[in-house]
Amino acid sequence: MKLKKSNLLFNIYSLIMLALAMFIFLKFSTYMDIYEKSILICAPCVLIYLGYIFRPFAVLTCITFLLSIIAVNSYNNDLSLAHKSFLLKYFLASQTAIMWMTFFIFSSMLCYWIGIWKSSNFIYKCANKFLNIAVIMGAVGMLVRWFESYLINIDVGHIPISNLYEVFVLFCLITMLIYLYYEYTYKTPSLGAFTLPIIAGANAFLVWYAMQGAHEIQPLVPALQSWWMKIHVPANFIGYGTFAIAAMLAVAYLIRHRYENNVNKSKLTWIEKLPPSNVIDDIMYKAISLGFAFFTLATILGALWAAQAWGGYWSWDPKEVWALIVWLNYAAWLHMRLISGWRGNILAWWAIIGLFVTTFAFMGVNLFLSGLHSYGTL
């Protein structure tokens, strides 16, 4: 009976996604080129598939779209209402929603820490719910920000993944969703105590960056005025998000593995609440495999975009060079695991070092090196 109800709800969700895509197509297709129409056609298929393999995703998606529609209608095509309408000012305006996301991320992290210390299923459930709410508010913030950009001016309007502030929000969203999927699949809430700090750290930067005025919507620079951005950037950040999760899981693996080989375990009882080291190792491997696949796709898409924007697929720009270093790093990681059979501490440390390499490729290049990607600076 429960299975039939679940299947019925999923079928309803699928119909809603298809109907919503059809509505958007009929209403806005005149503003889209052939590439954007192709993305719109593929979007409901992706959302339905994600809802199938990760049932909570369907609920998150429906709530996100509902709140976004309420927010869009609340504007009544007047951007100034963001500071006048109670609902927008305190809950659903893009910046407000993103700040709520930050609040619930830190609340979730605190609950995960308490949960692993006290071994409380109730606290774990609270942590999970807070993280789900954070995903919803972050996604609402991004969708509403997209709409707000068009309220400023139709020529300013663009998908909000074009600058450092927006991609940090994207990074948090993707990382939270991927972690929630692994927690749902493996039933390992204790790993949230290790994964959430990296997301919270990104949010701390986000708050600081917003205080510098970075949250203001700006027109796209010419190099980013391309439909390639809509698929290259998300694919890239699926890679970044999974690599970040893998590094934090590697920390958990090292602690758990050392504990399993420690004769005197009486003083480290909280570590017993972590999954066995082989389970953590398996999740870490799957996270890197997923990230590597999407990072490879993003690199290919980036080369195609570069050919269109700058006339060549590869120009040895610092960003491209470091993207190649990141790709080679994880390609070697996967090779040593799959072909040479490496396991254990060495791959865990490698995953941690890989996060530093990836972080430099993501931010360090923009901060310390100049090149064609200099539009991503602070």
Side-chain angles (χ1 to χ4, degrees):
M1 186 67 180
K2 187 176 181 181
L3 181 61
K4 288 183 178 179
K5 183 179 179 181
S6 176
N7 289 335
L8 176 62
L9 292 175
F10 173 72
N11 290 335
I12 293 173
Y13 163 74
S14 301
L15 290 173
I16 291 173
M17 293 301 103
L18 291 172
L20 186 60
M22 181 65 69
F23 171 77
I24 295 172
F25 184 85
L26 293 174
K27 190 172 179 65
F28 301 107
S29 60
T30 54
Y31 301 100
M32 301 178 182
D33 57 31
I34 185 64
Y35 304 108
E36 291 167 331
K37 290 177 182 177
S38 300
I39 293 172
L40 179 59
I41 291 170
C42 293
C45 300
V46 173
L47 292 175
I48 290 170
Y49 173 73
L50 291 175
Y52 177 75
I53 64 171
F54 179 33
R55 293 302 171 94
F57 179 83
V59 178
L60 294 175
T61 303
C62 290
I63 296 174
T64 296
F65 282 140
L66 177 61
L67 292 177
S68 299
I69 291 169
I70 292 172
V72 167
N73 288 330
S74 298
Y75 272 104
N76 197 26
N77 293 324
D78 182 1
L79 188 59
S80 67
L81 289 177
H83 305 290
K84 299 175 182 178
S85 166
F86 178 85
L87 185 64
L88 293 173
K89 183 177 181 179
Y90 294 104
F91 295 101
L92 297 180
S94 64
Q95 183 59 17
T96 306
I98 290 169
M99 289 301 102
W100 276 115
M101 176 192 75
T102 299
F103 170 78
F104 282 107
I105 284 174
F106 280 96
S107 299
S108 177
M109 180 178 68
L110 180 61
C111 286
Y112 275 119
W113 284 351
I114 296 173
I116 196 173
W117 184 258
K118 297 294 185 180
S119 191
S120 170
N121 288 332
F122 173 75
I123 298 297
Y124 278 143
K125 288 179 180 178
C126 289
N128 182 273
K129 297 302 180 186
F130 286 154
L131 196 59
N132 277 276
I133 295 172
V135 169
I136 291 170
M137 297 309 294
V140 169
M142 292 290 272
L143 290 173
V144 174
R145 185 180 177 88
W146 195 349
F147 175 73
E148 288 172 351
S149 70
Y150 280 93
L151 287 182
I152 295 173
N153 191 294
I154 194 168
D155 295 325
V156 175
H158 61 273
I159 185 171
I161 52 173
S162 63
N163 57 43
L164 197 58
Y165 177 82
E166 292 168 349
V167 297
F168 255 89
V169 179
L170 180 67
F171 169 80
C172 293
L173 277 174
I174 288 174
T175 309
M176 286 188 291
L177 278 170
I178 294 171
Y179 167 73
L180 284 170
Y181 169 73
Y182 286 133
E183 181 180 309
Y184 171 80
T185 303
Y186 287 88
K187 313 299 181 188
T188 54
S190 58
L191 293 179
F194 289 86
T195 305
L196 264 292
I198 194 74
I199 303 172
N203 265 266
F205 172 83
L206 200 62
V207 172
W208 172 83
Y209 203 29
M211 292 172 64
Q212 315 307 311
H215 65 285
E216 300 293 339
I217 298 173
Q218 301 293 334
L220 285 177
V221 298
L224 296 178
Q225 294 173 4
S226 169
W227 69 273
W228 287 104
M229 181 179 71
K230 299 177 178 68
I231 51 178
H232 167 72
V233 175
N236 219 25
F237 278 85
I238 292 174
Y240 288 156
T242 51
F243 296 154
I245 289 173
M248 301 312 290
L249 292 179
V251 175
Y253 173 88
L254 291 169
I255 294 172
R256 176 66 184 186
H257 185 261
R258 182 176 180 179
Y259 175 76
E260 289 173 349
N261 292 281
N262 187 3
V263 177
N264 182 18
K265 302 178 181 180
S266 59
K267 297 181 180 180
L268 301 170
T269 52
W270 68 270
I271 302 178
E272 291 180 347
K273 298 157 192 174
L274 290 172
S277 59
N278 64 308
V279 174
I280 302 174
D281 179 74
D282 185 55
I283 303 174
M284 179 173 62
Y285 159 66
K286 289 180 177 177
I288 288 179
S289 297
L290 177 65
F292 181 75
F294 275 93
F295 195 79
T296 301
L297 175 63
T299 303
I300 295 170
L301 293 172
L304 295 172
W305 186 5
Q308 182 188 70
W310 301 315
Y313 294 101
W314 193 267
S315 57
W316 296 104
D317 176 74
K319 194 78 168 182
E320 295 171 350
V321 171
W322 276 92
L324 178 61
I325 292 171
V326 171
W327 187 89
L328 289 173
N329 173 70
Y330 288 105
W333 192 98
L334 289 169
H335 174 84
M336 299 310 295
R337 179 185 171 93
L338 295 173
I339 306 302
S340 300
W342 284 19
R343 295 289 191 279
N345 290 355
I346 187 170
L347 288 185
W349 280 111
W350 193 339
I352 294 170
I353 295 170
L355 178 60
F356 288 98
V357 175
T358 304
T359 302
F360 187 82
F362 171 31
M363 289 192 64
V365 170
N366 294 347
L367 294 175
F368 304 114
L369 302 174
S370 61
L372 296 171
H373 293 78
S374 59
Y375 47 78
T377 55
L378 288 174

